[in-house]
Amino acid sequence: FFKLDHCNANKYFWTELKHFIETSKVGATFSFLNSLIILKERNNIIIYDSIEIENINNKKTRVLNKNNWGLGKILTLKDADNKSNDKFECFVDQDIYKKGVYLRSWKFGDKVKLSDGRHKKVSDIFIDAKVPLFRKKIHPIVEDSNNEIVWIPGLFDKNNFSKARGKVLIKWEE
């Protein structure tokens, strides 16, 4: 991110940055160098390019054998027969997979359908799991061809496909 001339910023810039890190609340951001953002989390300071994050947020990708996404990757294994209780793995019916399973990031207003028929906001799922703001922006969401969320790695699994005959295992690795 940084070039040599960025280190030559004036004293005022470095003083402001130090003050931001020492006194800002969790979730606060500090913008600099056009698109670079510093985000304060509970135990971390994250520096990211807002243009790159925006590109991830505006992208919807069909899940194939291997997809890089944010800070991790999605892998698929066809004809998976084993049952898994790993919350970072999801079984999808082979017919649904053939129609299309897509990877995208969270959008305002996203909801999942729970097993009892009720709906829950994805933002509430993130809050319940204490997912930091930055991760919320890049956390993968997997949906079917009907735009219904079927899996949020580590957080939600629609789990309608556990009795399906031909299954595809989708796995999230960081």
Side-chain angles (χ1 to χ4, degrees):
F1 287 133
F2 297 106
K3 297 178 180 154
L4 188 57
D5 58 328
H6 298 150
C7 296
N8 293 329
N10 64 30
K11 185 177 178 179
Y12 176 75
F13 168 82
W14 294 109
T15 304
E16 286 297 309
L17 179 58
K18 180 179 182 277
H19 182 263
F20 166 79
I21 291 170
E22 292 174 347
T23 63
S24 296
K25 293 181 180 180
V26 172
T29 59
F30 183 88
S31 301
F32 69 104
L33 306 175
N34 298 327
S35 67
L36 291 184
I37 306 289
I38 296 178
L39 170 69
K40 185 168 182 179
E41 288 190 339
R42 284 181 180 84
N43 299 319
N44 300 307
I45 300 291
I46 296 176
I47 301 172
Y48 65 92
D49 186 332
S50 61
I51 294 171
E52 287 296 317
I53 296 301
E54 195 63 33
N55 288 340
I56 290 172
N57 288 341
N58 292 328
K59 187 166 69 170
K60 182 175 177 177
T61 306
R62 189 169 184 156
V63 174
L64 299 170
N65 293 334
K66 182 179 176 183
N67 298 85
N68 290 325
W69 189 264
L71 299 176
K73 59 187 169 191
I74 295 279
L75 306 169
T76 58
L77 304 165
K78 294 183 180 167
D79 300 322
D81 291 325
N82 299 332
K83 190 170 182 170
S84 173
N85 291 327
D86 187 339
K87 61 185 180 176
F88 295 99
E89 294 180 350
C90 174
F91 286 105
V92 176
D93 181 278
Q94 203 165 46
D95 292 336
I96 291 171
Y97 182 80
K98 285 179 184 175
K99 287 180 186 175
V101 177
Y102 299 89
L103 184 61
R104 65 170 177 84
S105 61
W106 170 76
K107 292 186 266 184
F108 182 78
D110 273 345
K111 292 181 181 177
V112 296
K113 189 173 183 180
L114 303 175
S115 57
D116 63 4
R118 293 180 302 127
H119 289 83
K120 186 170 185 172
K121 292 179 184 178
V122 173
S123 60
D124 289 341
I125 292 171
F126 284 141
I127 289 168
D128 293 346
K130 296 185 172 135
V131 174
L133 179 63
F134 177 74
R135 288 214 178 253
K136 183 164 97 168
K137 291 180 179 186
I138 62 170
H139 197 88
I141 292 182
V142 178
E143 65 183 15
D144 63 17
S145 60
N146 297 321
N147 298 322
E148 190 170 338
I149 296 172
V150 296
W151 185 45
I152 304 171
L155 302 174
F156 171 79
D157 185 352
K158 187 174 175 186
N159 206 10
N160 283 4
F161 312 118
S162 58
K163 295 181 182 171
R165 290 192 123 187
K167 298 179 203 174
V168 176
L169 176 65
I170 304 174
K171 186 175 184 173
W172 168 252
E173 294 180 350
E174 273 192 307

